Amino acid sequence: MPGIEKLPIEETLEDSPQTRSLLGVFEEDTAAISNYCTQLYQAMQRIYDAQNELSAATHLTSRLLKEYDKQRFPLGGDDEVMSSTLQQFAKVIDELSSCHAVLSTQLADAMMFPITQFKERDLKEILTLKEVFQIASDDHDTAINRYSRLSKKRDNDKLRAEVVEDVYTSRKKQHQTMMHYFCSLNMLQYKKKTALLEPLLGYMQAQISFFKLGSENLTQQWEDFLGTIGTSVQNVRREMEEEVGQMQQTIQQMERSCDPLYAPCDPDPAYSTVCRSLTRKQGYLHIRNKTGLVSSSWERQYFFTQGGNLMHQGRGEVAGGLVTDLDNCSVMAVDCDDRRFCFQVTSFDGKKVVTLQAESRKDCEEVKCCSVIASVLCLPELAARVNQSALEAVTPSPSFQQRHESMRPSRSGRASSISSVGSEPSPALSVLSLDALVAPETPIQFDIISPVSEENLGQSKTAAQSGRRSNPFGESGDSTSEDNSILHQLFIVRFLGSMEVRTAESVDVISETMRQILAARAIHNIFRMTESHLLVTCDCLNHSPQGKMFPLSSVVQCSSHQDNKRLFGFVLHPAGGRGDSRAVCYIFESNNDGEKICDSIGLAKQIAFHSEMDRKAVEKRKEQDKAKEKQQEELSKQRQIEKDLEEQSRLIAASSRPGNPPAPDGQFLVLSNSQSEDSDAGEEGKKQGESEA
């Protein structure tokens, strides 16, 4: 190959200084090649290690994306769109991981193997031959020096023979070693080109193969998919920016509006108005804990009312714990030496006393007005005002009140909880006032009054006079009438009360009626209720043992309480019909069957509606059948008339024939109109002739 320098192997035996000088040049070149090859090997080794790390990282990424469905995220773990998208990405990255693994294998075979062989075999072989040549050269120099020091006077044949043999052996070894060393150095000039080009060629071929695999796997379909995902990411980023802007505006508005609320006290009582329509109260209070006989400590905890119970919850706790039962508890203000705005919650038997402290007088009044606790919690001078307003708002039936007058406890400050109504006013109630739903000026009836009781009064008297046994459910007792109704469901209920409402179509009227009735029962200490039965049929709702009957067609709506499923109620239009603005809401308590009863009433209304539709369809079919029969009769009559006319015309045509003889048996033929006119004209002509004569 032209352009490649070589050492003359023929001059190895002569071992001239020029040859040694040329050998030194080749040795310097070999050292430079070795140093450069070592650096290139380290660079390629980094490429190979990075490719292996990239392949392993890609495979790990694909595996983690596939395991996204198995993760248990507290928020947003069931996003099917996100899961499917990540599965698609996992599929693509898995294919890329396979391509990277193939690239790693090709780099190991085509790039790292040639340069490793050149570094570990060829360069080490030259270094070994260099050491051997140096040793042989030193041995040859020693043997020549020994041979040259042979004495001329003392000629010893044996010693001379040994020295000659030593020179012969060392020179031969040096010559052979030098020839192999020169040959290796000459081959290195060729190998250094292949050792540098083969790894690079393998590297480029591996990269080309990798990109070809990538182009085969990453088709246009994946490009469209990536474009769609990129658009979705931009949309999410845009929504995030909009949400951040809205949250910043909300933060600014809340900072401006909540600035007066940062102070624990009420700086302006006119500004911080007390909400007196709360059915729940929650917030932070201080509770006093006894640490000794006379010492005590105050602890700040989060308190809330739930289901007639006063609950507390510490910071960091998941659920709350029971403090005391608010049923039949007395709540009154207390005067503490070291604290303000304090009040006590005392159980009915007086065994448990809980002392609490609010942050401000406003909180005390709101807790006082909360109908769940149904009592004043802190200020004695405001208790009479709240009780008086409650007495004016709801007035129970006098008979029922007198009947239960003896059952009222004599303990002062005692009140009952109405925790069954534990929901806050709905957004519709925030727009419409409570007076627009109920009629607070009308009394609450704690004795059930059916709108059809007066109508059934005469029927019951007639049934009593006839000696027939009356059905306690308000039905006639006839077996046929019982079989006509498809639905018969009996429930155990307790009547709480009823009151007139102004609007029957509102969805919040039943909840507000429940709150008013339970508040009145708590204020007047009316707790006892008698169990009764409510029979739901397709015709009406029968309440026994009173025998009250509510027509199903008059029931406007029926619903249960959203928090306490034992409470349910329905709104009933009076006998005057839906045109009458008056309506009555009845509230009952069941054994956790309120929602089931409402569903049963809804089912009964559907069955009644479909039955009415079927009845109307049958009546319409009967009317159509009658119309068809009448049409058939008219058609038969018309056909009979046409038949008679045809018969008459046939007889007239037969009588109009000439020389028509008289009919036998003294019958006369009926002449046609033309024949009668001709005979009349002949008679008139005869009469004119006689008059002229």
Side-chain angles (χ1 to χ4, degrees):
M1 185 175 181
I4 296 179
E5 299 292 337
K6 293 185 293 184
L7 286 171
I9 300 178
E10 297 83 2
E11 297 179 0
T12 54
L13 182 60
E14 184 179 358
D15 194 13
S16 62
Q18 291 80 5
T19 304
R20 285 280 182 163
S21 177
L22 186 60
L23 177 62
V25 174
F26 271 79
E27 287 179 348
E28 291 179 2
D29 183 74
T30 302
I33 291 174
S34 177
N35 187 20
Y36 179 78
C37 183
T38 302
Q39 296 179 4
L40 183 63
Y41 173 80
Q42 293 176 356
M44 291 185 176
Q45 184 67 36
R46 290 182 63 182
I47 293 176
Y48 178 68
D49 294 339
Q51 184 60 40
N52 289 334
E53 183 64 24
L54 179 61
S55 178
T58 309
H59 179 70
L60 177 61
T61 304
S62 175
R63 182 170 60 84
L64 290 176
L65 292 179
K66 291 179 181 179
E67 294 177 355
Y68 178 80
D69 294 338
K70 300 179 182 179
Q71 304 300 319
R72 295 294 181 266
F73 298 105
L75 297 175
D78 55 349
D79 191 355
E80 296 181 357
V81 177
M82 188 67 179
S83 177
S84 61
T85 304
L86 292 181
Q87 291 298 324
Q88 292 290 333
F89 272 110
K91 183 178 179 181
V92 180
I93 295 176
D94 197 7
E95 294 177 357
L96 291 178
S97 176
S98 301
C99 296
H100 284 294
V102 173
L103 178 60
S104 299
T105 305
Q106 291 178 352
L107 291 179
D109 296 337
M111 183 181 71
M112 296 304 300
F113 180 74
I115 196 171
T116 303
Q117 288 290 99
F118 177 72
K119 181 177 178 294
E120 298 294 334
R121 185 182 63 183
D122 298 334
L123 294 179
K124 283 187 176 182
E125 181 182 358
I126 290 175
L127 293 176
T128 303
L129 288 175
K130 181 180 179 180
E131 294 177 357
V132 173
F133 170 72
Q134 188 67 34
I135 293 172
S137 179
D138 293 341
D139 293 341
H140 180 261
D141 292 342
T142 303
I144 290 296
N145 291 330
R146 185 181 178 187
Y147 177 76
S148 60
R149 287 195 303 267
L150 288 175
S151 178
K152 185 177 180 181
K153 296 179 179 180
R154 297 177 182 180
D155 190 8
N156 189 349
D157 295 335
K158 184 177 179 181
L159 180 61
R160 187 176 65 252
E162 290 179 358
V163 172
V164 170
E165 183 68 21
D166 191 11
V167 170
Y168 172 80
T169 304
S170 61
R171 180 171 293 177
K172 181 178 180 180
K173 184 177 179 181
Q174 179 188 2
H175 184 227
Q176 293 177 352
T177 305
M178 195 172 183
M179 287 190 297
H180 288 288
Y181 184 41
F182 278 23
C183 181
S184 298
L185 290 176
N186 291 335
M187 291 298 102
L188 181 62
Q189 300 302 316
Y190 292 91
K191 289 182 180 180
K192 70 178 181 180
K193 298 182 181 297
T194 60
L196 297 179
L197 295 178
E198 283 182 357
L200 297 177
L201 181 63
Y203 173 75
M204 296 306 298
Q205 289 179 349
Q207 293 292 339
I208 291 172
S209 177
F210 172 74
F211 286 116
K212 285 183 178 180
L213 288 176
S215 63
E216 293 176 359
N217 294 327
L218 299 176
T219 58
Q220 183 66 32
Q221 180 180 0
W222 291 116
E223 292 181 2
D224 297 340
F225 170 73
L226 294 179
T228 304
I229 297 302
T231 305
S232 301
V233 170
Q234 293 297 329
N235 294 333
V236 172
R237 188 178 297 276
R238 192 180 302 109
E239 292 179 2
M240 181 187 67
E241 293 176 355
E242 294 177 357
E243 184 67 23
V244 169
Q246 293 178 1
M247 287 190 293
Q248 292 294 336
Q249 293 179 0
T250 304
I251 290 173
Q252 294 176 2
Q253 294 175 1
M254 293 187 67
E255 286 179 352
R256 290 192 299 266
S257 61
C258 297
D259 186 75
L261 302 179
Y262 295 150
C265 59
D266 301 330
D268 189 2
Y271 177 77
S272 58
T273 58
V274 178
C275 182
R276 301 182 183 277
S277 61
L278 293 177
T279 57
R280 279 184 178 178
K281 183 65 179 176
Q282 55 189 7
Y284 283 97
L285 298 174
H286 285 82
I287 183 172
R288 185 168 65 180
N289 300 321
K290 290 186 177 181
T291 58
L293 295 178
V294 293
S295 61
S296 61
S297 63
W298 294 85
E299 182 181 1
R300 187 170 183 264
Q301 293 183 356
Y302 188 80
F303 288 84
F304 60 95
T305 57
Q306 180 180 6
N309 299 322
L310 181 61
M311 312 290 289
H312 75 98
Q313 184 175 0
R315 182 169 296 178
E317 295 181 357
V318 179
L322 177 64
V323 178
T324 183
D325 188 2
L326 294 175
D327 290 336
N328 300 329
C329 286
S330 63
V331 185
M332 63 185 66
V334 293
D335 187 11
C336 294
D337 297 335
D338 56 343
R339 298 277 175 163
R340 299 181 303 165
F341 313 125
C342 297
F343 57 92
Q344 282 185 351
V345 181
T346 308
S347 61
F348 178 73
D349 52 4
K351 294 182 179 180
K352 187 172 184 180
V353 178
V354 179
T355 304
L356 301 172
Q357 179 200 10
E359 291 185 355
S360 61
R361 190 178 301 273
K362 174 177 175 291
D363 292 340
C364 290
E365 293 185 5
E366 287 185 351
V367 176
K368 170 202 64 177
C369 297
C370 180
S371 60
V372 176
I373 301 179
S375 179
V376 179
L377 296 185
C378 56
L379 301 179
E381 62 272 14
L382 296 177
R385 189 190 312 169
V386 175
N387 286 331
Q388 183 64 26
S389 61
L391 287 172
E392 293 175 358
V394 286
T395 304
S397 175
S399 60
F400 196 90
Q401 183 178 2
Q402 294 173 2
R403 191 185 316 165
H404 292 276
E405 189 72 29
S406 60
M407 295 187 296
R408 295 186 182 181
S410 59
R411 183 183 179 123
S412 62
R414 177 185 172 189
S416 173
S417 171
I418 54 168
S419 60
S420 299
V421 185
S423 62
E424 296 182 357
S426 63
L429 287 178
S430 62
V431 179
L432 297 174
S433 62
L434 301 180
D435 294 341
L437 296 178
V438 299
E441 69 275 1
T442 60
I444 296 177
Q445 301 294 336
F446 295 108
D447 289 331
I448 188 167
I449 299 177
S450 175
V452 296
S453 60
E454 297 179 357
E455 299 176 3
N456 294 335
L457 184 60
Q459 298 179 3
S460 60
K461 289 182 179 179
T462 306
Q465 292 175 1
S466 60
R468 297 182 62 183
R469 182 178 62 87
S470 61
N471 195 333
F473 298 108
E475 297 180 351
S476 61
D478 191 2
S479 60
T480 58
S481 62
E482 293 179 357
D483 296 336
N484 289 334
S485 182
I486 301 175
L487 184 66
H488 284 274
Q489 288 188 344
L490 186 64
F491 301 96
I492 299 176
V493 297
R494 289 170 292 277
F495 179 69
L496 297 179
S498 63
M499 65 181 301
E500 183 179 339
V501 295
R502 293 184 176 180
T503 172
E505 304 295 337
S506 177
V507 296
D508 298 315
V509 64
I510 297 180
S511 299
E512 178 58 23
T513 306
M514 289 179 183
R515 192 184 70 84
Q516 293 281 355
I517 291 176
L518 291 175
R521 279 183 168 270
I523 291 174
H524 298 285
N525 296 326
I526 302 173
F527 309 115
R528 292 188 179 181
M529 295 176 291
T530 305
E531 288 189 354
S532 57
H533 296 84
L534 182 67
L535 178 65
V536 180
T537 64
C538 297
D539 299 327
C540 60
L541 306 177
N542 294 327
H543 185 256
S544 65
Q546 289 84 356
K548 307 302 181 182
M549 186 168 61
F550 304 96
L552 195 63
S553 58
S554 300
V555 178
V556 180
Q557 61 170 325
C558 178
S559 65
S560 61
H561 198 272
Q562 58 181 358
D563 295 332
N564 190 355
K565 300 304 180 182
R566 297 173 59 186
L567 298 177
F568 74 97
F570 54 85
V571 181
L572 201 71
H573 266 297
R578 294 181 181 259
D580 195 350
S581 61
R582 295 181 300 106
V584 181
C585 183
Y586 294 86
I587 306 300
F588 292 87
E589 183 184 10
S590 64
N591 297 332
N592 294 324
D593 292 334
E595 191 172 2
K596 183 178 179 182
I597 294 175
C598 295
D599 294 339
S600 178
I601 294 175
L603 178 61
K605 290 180 71 66
Q606 290 183 2
I607 294 174
F609 174 75
H610 290 294
S611 300
E612 183 66 20
M613 295 295 292
D614 294 339
R615 186 185 62 80
K616 290 182 179 180
V618 171
E619 291 180 355
K620 186 176 180 181
R621 195 180 301 111
K622 288 182 180 180
E623 292 178 357
Q624 291 178 356
D625 294 340
K626 289 181 180 180
K628 287 182 180 180
E629 291 178 0
K630 187 176 181 180
Q631 187 177 3
Q632 291 291 339
E633 291 178 359
E634 294 291 339
L635 185 60
S636 61
K637 288 181 181 180
Q638 186 177 0
R639 289 178 180 176
Q640 185 65 31
I641 293 173
E642 291 178 355
K643 186 177 181 182
D644 294 342
L645 291 176
E646 290 178 359
E647 184 67 24
Q648 186 176 2
S649 62
R650 186 179 61 80
L651 293 176
I652 293 173
S655 63
S656 63
R657 295 177 183 175
N660 192 8
D665 299 333
Q667 296 181 358
F668 296 94
L669 296 176
V670 179
L671 299 178
S672 62
N673 294 331
S674 60
Q675 291 178 351
S676 60
E677 291 177 357
D678 293 340
S679 61
D680 294 339
E683 290 179 357
E684 290 179 358
K686 289 180 181 180
K687 289 181 179 179
Q688 289 179 0
E690 291 178 355
S691 61
E692 290 177 357

